[in-house]
Each structure stands twice: as structure tokens, then as C-alpha cells.
Amino acid sequence: MKEYTDAELAQLLDKDIFHQISETADQLGVRCYVVGGYVRDLFLERPSEDIDVVVVGSGIEVAKQLKARLGKRAHLSVFKNFGTAQVKFGNMEVEFVGARRESYRRESRKPIVEDGTLEDDQNRRDFTINAMAICLNSDSFGQLVDPFGGLDDLAYGCIRTPLDPDITFSDDPLRMLRCVRFATQLNFYIDDETFAALERNAQRLEIISAERVSTELNKIMMSKTPSKGFVDLQRCGLLPLILPEIEQLDEVETRNGRAHKNNFYHTLEVLDNVSKNSDNLWLRWAALLHDVGKTKSKRWDPLQGWTFHNHNYIGAKMVPEIFRRLKLPLDQKMKYVQKLVDLHMRPIVIADEDVTDSAVRRLLNDAEDDIDDLMLLCEADITSKNMVKKQRFLDNFRIVREKIVALKVKDYKRLFQPCIDGVQIMEMFGLQQGPVVGILKSYIKDAVLDGRVPNEPETLRRLLEEKYRELTEE
């Protein structure tokens, strides 16, 4: 985090858009401030193009006047029902809202809104690091207003609510997920009092729509180290309400002195491993759900110990219901996750035995275009602390990858190079090497590549005979 004086903040805000807002507010005689994430990210030195501006007065009126000043360079959208307006200017989006005071009914997170002061508006913010404001009026341009010590919390890496966290979370339970999400994205810790309030208010999450929950969950999934968020969700009691199937993996059972690993923490390790190598949200979901079937498939065998037979198949069957409940897409994205969960054991089985062409070819056939993602997931799944065993699997996976590349080339030739070659064409028609042979070869090759005929001898022979008759009749 970097600290700035008010003068330095004024320099950071020395952009056309902020000066235009400043002049507009001064002209209308209202106070206005840039607030929230944009201010936070200035101190964190993170890029941000989304700007929230609070006006002590009508935010819509300031937005309209700003649009008039900017002319065709800007686009205005007004949302009267919400009392907000948005001005798009270049690659920036500026959201205007009037300062307000909020109160809540217990059965809803939709607030009763009244006009308020800047102090009222900062009081309603979710966390201290999002409650800082910088004045845009010319007489105080760049002046920081930080009543709750948000700057100190940024420096210490702390997530804390401005007011009583029980009231903050009970009023709007979505803030509990935002609390975990910000802690995960910023790699901050959650203040003890704030965390205790998460535990006390966890059940309030029930009034939040699945779509809102999934939006925050996806942001946690897309963070650098998503495991941090899932551990916090588990510790505060939110995870059982969102993904009970994952929470149930957090157990270790022992019989006859033999224990299985904690599949919850193994899952999070796999998720982090995948996240180091891919920004594909749905591959990360596949990592989170790859062992979700282990709770249902767990059995004790006196000879083998703990087994999880067919957990991949059982887990794949669970994916659609989880996606439906969370209102996640039920299209190809869900099918992609389901496929990877189902297939994630296959490369491991292959790598644990002799790596044969036929086994790899069957895997290629089933995984299709998702083979590289599947291999990435399977390599992430090797979390053994036995380094010799881990290295053996990784070495074998390298062999599997090499065979995949080789077979792609080999099978490409097998599938798309005509199975009748020039020598066979000369034998069929008693020809010597010459232009006619070249024409016949190109003819069947184009037919195969265009998908007009299957690449099989009898079909190609009939096609060649027809073409040869056509050539000789000319």
C-alpha cells in the first residue's frame, strides 16, 4: 500500500473527467466525492476504471449536467428507480448517486432509502476500506475523508465493518460473502469482531438469491488463491449453506489405525494448483468438484482400507443439481465441468500402468477438445507428500502428454489422409506415374477433407472409378 498526502491525491485525480465533475458540482452548488473501490484501489496501486461518485444532493442532476458539458464524448444512462445515473466517458464509467441514509426490514436486504449527508453515506458502506471518500470540489480537491480508519486497515491488511458488524451483516447478508471475497482477493485477514459476526449471522444468508451468491462465489474462485476464501467460508459457517457437498468433505475417519486423507483440504490444494496455471473459471469449478462424489462413495474394506470406487461417476451425476441450485449456467459450461469430473481419474489410471496408444486414443476420443484442460486438472490432483510417488506420476503424465501429441498427428493422418495412396491408384487402373494419378489423388483427398465421404477403401474406390470414367470420356 502507498500513502499519499491530499496534494498527491489531487495529482492522482488530475484527469479531465474529475475536473469536469468538479466544475459541474461547483456550478450546481453541491458537494461531491469519489468513494469506494476507486479510492481503495488508488492506495493499493491497482488499476480501476469504474468510478463511484456520491453527491450531497441529486446525483442524477450532476450526471445530466456533466453529460451536457461533455457532449457527444459521453453517454448518459439514468436509473430513476434507484436514484442513480451513469456516464460513460472513454474507457471510464462514472456512477452517480445522491448521499443517502438507509434502514432495513429483517425479511429483506432491500433498504428504505432517505436523502442523507456524506457521513450518513459512509456509515452505510460495507467495510472501512470501501468507506473512504476524496472530495472533488475545487476548494477541497483531493482531500481525503476517512472517518473509520480505512487507511490504517489497508495498511494492516484488515477487513472490518465501519459500524456494528452484526447490524451490517443482518441488514444486508450479502455483505458476509463480500467480506470473505475481499479478504480473499486482497489477501487480507478478517477482523476478529467482524469474523465473529459472520458466524452469528450466517443463517441470514438464506434471504439472498442464488444468483447473488454465485456472483460472489465466482469472484472468490477467480482470485489468486481461492482456497483462502473457502477456508474462511467453512470456518464461519457459510459454506454448509452454499456448498454442503464440499463442506462434507471436511472429515477424516479412522478404522483399525488406517485413516483416509481430508478430502476438503485436498480439494482446495487441487483448486489452488489449477489456479496457478489457468484463469478458466469452469476448469476451476471442475477442480472444486472433482472429488465431490467421495462422501457418497466412501467404503471401508478390511483388505484395501478406505475406498472411493466410482467417485468420479457419482460426482459427475451431482454436478447438474449443484449448478441448478446455484443458478449457474446449465449449458456447455456445466457439461464441460461434468465431463472433467467424470474423466479426471482416467489419466491417473493410464499413468499408473503401461502407457499404451490404445488407452490414450480412447482418452482422446472421450475428452475431445478438452484433453489439455483434463491433463492440467489431473496434474494438479497429484498432491501426495511422497515426493518419489509424486514425481513418478508426473513423469508418467509427461509420457501421456507426449503420446497425446504424437497420436493427434498420427490420427490426423489416419483420419484425413486418404487410405488409398498413389501406388494403389496406379494398380487399380494400370497407370504410370503422371498427371492423371495426381488428379485422382487430389480428388479423393478433397472429398475426405471436405467430409463428403468417409475415409474407407470401398467408398473411395467407387469415387475413383466414377472420376476415372469421367476423365477417360473426355
Side-chain angles (χ1 to χ4, degrees), residues 276-294:
K276 291 172 187 173
N277 296 292
S278 175
D279 289 330
N280 180 342
L281 171 63
W282 306 110
L283 179 55
R284 294 186 183 203
W285 267 103
L288 182 69
L289 300 179
H290 82 284
D291 275 351
V292 73
K294 281 193 169 179

mmCIF file of all heavy atoms in Angstrom, residues 276-294:
data_model
loop_
_atom_site.group_PDB
_atom_site.id
_atom_site.type_symbol
_atom_site.label_atom_id
_atom_site.label_comp_id
_atom_site.label_asym_id
_atom_site.label_seq_id
_atom_site.Cartn_x
_atom_site.Cartn_y
_atom_site.Cartn_z
ATOM 1 N N LYS A 276 -3.021 -21.672 -10.391
ATOM 2 C CA LYS A 276 -1.682 -21.181 -10.731
ATOM 3 C C LYS A 276 -1.429 -21.238 -12.231
ATOM 4 O O LYS A 276 -0.566 -20.533 -12.752
ATOM 5 C CB LYS A 276 -0.616 -22.014 -10.016
ATOM 6 C CG LYS A 276 -0.577 -21.827 -8.506
ATOM 7 C CD LYS A 276 0.365 -22.839 -7.869
ATOM 8 C CE LYS A 276 0.301 -22.799 -6.349
ATOM 9 N NZ LYS A 276 1.079 -23.894 -5.727
ATOM 10 N N ASN A 277 -2.191 -22.085 -12.926
ATOM 11 C CA ASN A 277 -1.913 -22.335 -14.347
ATOM 12 C C ASN A 277 -3.046 -21.979 -15.293
ATOM 13 O O ASN A 277 -2.877 -22.074 -16.511
ATOM 14 C CB ASN A 277 -1.558 -23.813 -14.540
ATOM 15 C CG ASN A 277 -0.279 -24.204 -13.832
ATOM 16 O OD1 ASN A 277 0.797 -23.761 -14.214
ATOM 17 N ND2 ASN A 277 -0.384 -25.003 -12.779
ATOM 18 N N SER A 278 -4.203 -21.584 -14.751
ATOM 19 C CA SER A 278 -5.331 -21.305 -15.645
ATOM 20 C C SER A 278 -6.285 -20.297 -15.021
ATOM 21 O O SER A 278 -6.586 -20.360 -13.827
ATOM 22 C CB SER A 278 -6.096 -22.598 -15.949
ATOM 23 O OG SER A 278 -7.260 -22.311 -16.711
ATOM 24 N N ASP A 279 -6.784 -19.369 -15.872
ATOM 25 C CA ASP A 279 -7.814 -18.415 -15.457
ATOM 26 C C ASP A 279 -9.195 -18.855 -15.926
ATOM 27 O O ASP A 279 -10.146 -18.068 -15.894
ATOM 28 C CB ASP A 279 -7.510 -17.025 -16.029
ATOM 29 C CG ASP A 279 -6.312 -16.377 -15.346
ATOM 30 O OD1 ASP A 279 -6.081 -16.666 -14.163
ATOM 31 O OD2 ASP A 279 -5.611 -15.594 -16.010
ATOM 32 N N ASN A 280 -9.309 -20.104 -16.355
ATOM 33 C CA ASN A 280 -10.591 -20.635 -16.819
ATOM 34 C C ASN A 280 -11.483 -20.918 -15.610
ATOM 35 O O ASN A 280 -11.235 -21.844 -14.840
ATOM 36 C CB ASN A 280 -10.337 -21.917 -17.628
ATOM 37 C CG ASN A 280 -11.616 -22.544 -18.157
ATOM 38 O OD1 ASN A 280 -12.721 -22.262 -17.704
ATOM 39 N ND2 ASN A 280 -11.468 -23.435 -19.121
ATOM 40 N N LEU A 281 -12.527 -20.114 -15.429
ATOM 41 C CA LEU A 281 -13.426 -20.266 -14.275
ATOM 42 C C LEU A 281 -13.996 -21.667 -14.195
ATOM 43 O O LEU A 281 -14.094 -22.257 -13.105
ATOM 44 C CB LEU A 281 -14.562 -19.241 -14.362
ATOM 45 C CG LEU A 281 -15.704 -19.404 -13.349
ATOM 46 C CD1 LEU A 281 -15.195 -19.225 -11.926
ATOM 47 C CD2 LEU A 281 -16.835 -18.411 -13.648
ATOM 48 N N TRP A 282 -14.366 -22.238 -15.328
ATOM 49 C CA TRP A 282 -15.062 -23.535 -15.304
ATOM 50 C C TRP A 282 -14.091 -24.679 -15.054
ATOM 51 O O TRP A 282 -14.479 -25.708 -14.479
ATOM 52 C CB TRP A 282 -15.877 -23.698 -16.584
ATOM 53 C CG TRP A 282 -16.770 -22.519 -16.732
ATOM 54 C CD1 TRP A 282 -16.675 -21.513 -17.649
ATOM 55 C CD2 TRP A 282 -17.853 -22.140 -15.868
ATOM 56 N NE1 TRP A 282 -17.629 -20.554 -17.424
ATOM 57 C CE2 TRP A 282 -18.370 -20.899 -16.336
ATOM 58 C CE3 TRP A 282 -18.439 -22.730 -14.741
ATOM 59 C CZ2 TRP A 282 -19.435 -20.268 -15.720
ATOM 60 C CZ3 TRP A 282 -19.506 -22.076 -14.123
ATOM 61 C CH2 TRP A 282 -19.988 -20.872 -14.609
ATOM 62 N N LEU A 283 -12.842 -24.518 -15.437
ATOM 63 C CA LEU A 283 -11.827 -25.508 -15.056
ATOM 64 C C LEU A 283 -11.620 -25.451 -13.542
ATOM 65 O O LEU A 283 -11.428 -26.483 -12.890
ATOM 66 C CB LEU A 283 -10.520 -25.232 -15.795
ATOM 67 C CG LEU A 283 -9.342 -26.168 -15.478
ATOM 68 C CD1 LEU A 283 -9.707 -27.635 -15.688
ATOM 69 C CD2 LEU A 283 -8.130 -25.804 -16.328
ATOM 70 N N ARG A 284 -11.674 -24.257 -12.972
ATOM 71 C CA ARG A 284 -11.562 -24.127 -11.513
ATOM 72 C C ARG A 284 -12.759 -24.787 -10.821
ATOM 73 O O ARG A 284 -12.614 -25.415 -9.773
ATOM 74 C CB ARG A 284 -11.437 -22.647 -11.125
ATOM 75 C CG ARG A 284 -10.130 -22.021 -11.615
ATOM 76 C CD ARG A 284 -9.958 -20.608 -11.103
ATOM 77 N NE ARG A 284 -8.741 -19.987 -11.632
ATOM 78 C CZ ARG A 284 -8.104 -18.973 -11.072
ATOM 79 N NH1 ARG A 284 -8.562 -18.450 -9.950
ATOM 80 N NH2 ARG A 284 -7.020 -18.465 -11.621
ATOM 81 N N TRP A 285 -13.944 -24.643 -11.406
ATOM 82 C CA TRP A 285 -15.112 -25.338 -10.855
ATOM 83 C C TRP A 285 -14.924 -26.852 -10.926
ATOM 84 O O TRP A 285 -15.303 -27.578 -10.001
ATOM 85 C CB TRP A 285 -16.382 -24.915 -11.602
ATOM 86 C CG TRP A 285 -17.089 -23.769 -10.960
ATOM 87 C CD1 TRP A 285 -17.085 -22.466 -11.357
ATOM 88 C CD2 TRP A 285 -17.901 -23.820 -9.777
ATOM 89 N NE1 TRP A 285 -17.833 -21.700 -10.483
ATOM 90 C CE2 TRP A 285 -18.343 -22.491 -9.521
ATOM 91 C CE3 TRP A 285 -18.290 -24.841 -8.919
ATOM 92 C CZ2 TRP A 285 -19.168 -22.184 -8.433
ATOM 93 C CZ3 TRP A 285 -19.104 -24.531 -7.833
ATOM 94 C CH2 TRP A 285 -19.529 -23.225 -7.594
ATOM 95 N N ALA A 286 -14.366 -27.333 -12.023
ATOM 96 C CA ALA A 286 -14.103 -28.773 -12.138
ATOM 97 C C ALA A 286 -13.139 -29.224 -11.045
ATOM 98 O O ALA A 286 -13.295 -30.305 -10.463
ATOM 99 C CB ALA A 286 -13.548 -29.099 -13.524
ATOM 100 N N ALA A 287 -12.140 -28.390 -10.747
ATOM 101 C CA ALA A 287 -11.195 -28.712 -9.673
ATOM 102 C C ALA A 287 -11.907 -28.757 -8.330
ATOM 103 O O ALA A 287 -11.684 -29.661 -7.511
ATOM 104 C CB ALA A 287 -10.060 -27.686 -9.646
ATOM 105 N N LEU A 288 -12.799 -27.788 -8.076
ATOM 106 C CA LEU A 288 -13.523 -27.762 -6.806
ATOM 107 C C LEU A 288 -14.426 -28.983 -6.641
ATOM 108 O O LEU A 288 -14.583 -29.510 -5.532
ATOM 109 C CB LEU A 288 -14.362 -26.482 -6.719
ATOM 110 C CG LEU A 288 -15.136 -26.296 -5.409
ATOM 111 C CD1 LEU A 288 -14.183 -26.030 -4.246
ATOM 112 C CD2 LEU A 288 -16.160 -25.164 -5.533
ATOM 113 N N LEU A 289 -15.003 -29.451 -7.737
ATOM 114 C CA LEU A 289 -15.993 -30.533 -7.670
ATOM 115 C C LEU A 289 -15.421 -31.899 -8.037
ATOM 116 O O LEU A 289 -16.159 -32.888 -8.036
ATOM 117 C CB LEU A 289 -17.175 -30.213 -8.594
ATOM 118 C CG LEU A 289 -17.954 -28.918 -8.275
ATOM 119 C CD1 LEU A 289 -19.070 -28.717 -9.291
ATOM 120 C CD2 LEU A 289 -18.522 -28.962 -6.860
ATOM 121 N N HIS A 290 -14.122 -31.987 -8.328
ATOM 122 C CA HIS A 290 -13.603 -33.243 -8.880
ATOM 123 C C HIS A 290 -13.771 -34.422 -7.929
ATOM 124 O O HIS A 290 -13.952 -35.558 -8.361
ATOM 125 C CB HIS A 290 -12.132 -33.076 -9.310
ATOM 126 C CG HIS A 290 -11.134 -33.196 -8.208
ATOM 127 N ND1 HIS A 290 -10.919 -32.190 -7.291
ATOM 128 C CD2 HIS A 290 -10.289 -34.208 -7.863
ATOM 129 C CE1 HIS A 290 -9.976 -32.563 -6.432
ATOM 130 N NE2 HIS A 290 -9.586 -33.778 -6.767
ATOM 131 N N ASP A 291 -13.725 -34.187 -6.618
ATOM 132 C CA ASP A 291 -13.876 -35.276 -5.639
ATOM 133 C C ASP A 291 -15.177 -35.180 -4.856
ATOM 134 O O ASP A 291 -15.313 -35.798 -3.796
ATOM 135 C CB ASP A 291 -12.696 -35.264 -4.653
ATOM 136 C CG ASP A 291 -11.478 -36.008 -5.178
ATOM 137 O OD1 ASP A 291 -11.589 -36.674 -6.231
ATOM 138 O OD2 ASP A 291 -10.402 -35.908 -4.556
ATOM 139 N N VAL A 292 -16.157 -34.426 -5.388
ATOM 140 C CA VAL A 292 -17.385 -34.195 -4.635
ATOM 141 C C VAL A 292 -18.157 -35.494 -4.385
ATOM 142 O O VAL A 292 -18.957 -35.593 -3.447
ATOM 143 C CB VAL A 292 -18.265 -33.152 -5.370
ATOM 144 C CG1 VAL A 292 -18.908 -33.746 -6.620
ATOM 145 C CG2 VAL A 292 -19.306 -32.568 -4.435
ATOM 146 N N GLY A 293 -17.889 -36.526 -5.196
ATOM 147 C CA GLY A 293 -18.584 -37.799 -5.022
ATOM 148 C C GLY A 293 -17.971 -38.702 -3.963
ATOM 149 O O GLY A 293 -18.489 -39.795 -3.698
ATOM 150 N N LYS A 294 -16.904 -38.281 -3.326
ATOM 151 C CA LYS A 294 -16.211 -39.168 -2.375
ATOM 152 C C LYS A 294 -17.007 -39.425 -1.096
ATOM 153 O O LYS A 294 -16.901 -40.499 -0.510
ATOM 154 C CB LYS A 294 -14.823 -38.612 -2.043
ATOM 155 C CG LYS A 294 -13.796 -38.901 -3.126
ATOM 156 C CD LYS A 294 -12.377 -38.631 -2.671
ATOM 157 C CE LYS A 294 -11.368 -39.180 -3.677
ATOM 158 N NZ LYS A 294 -9.974 -38.916 -3.291
#
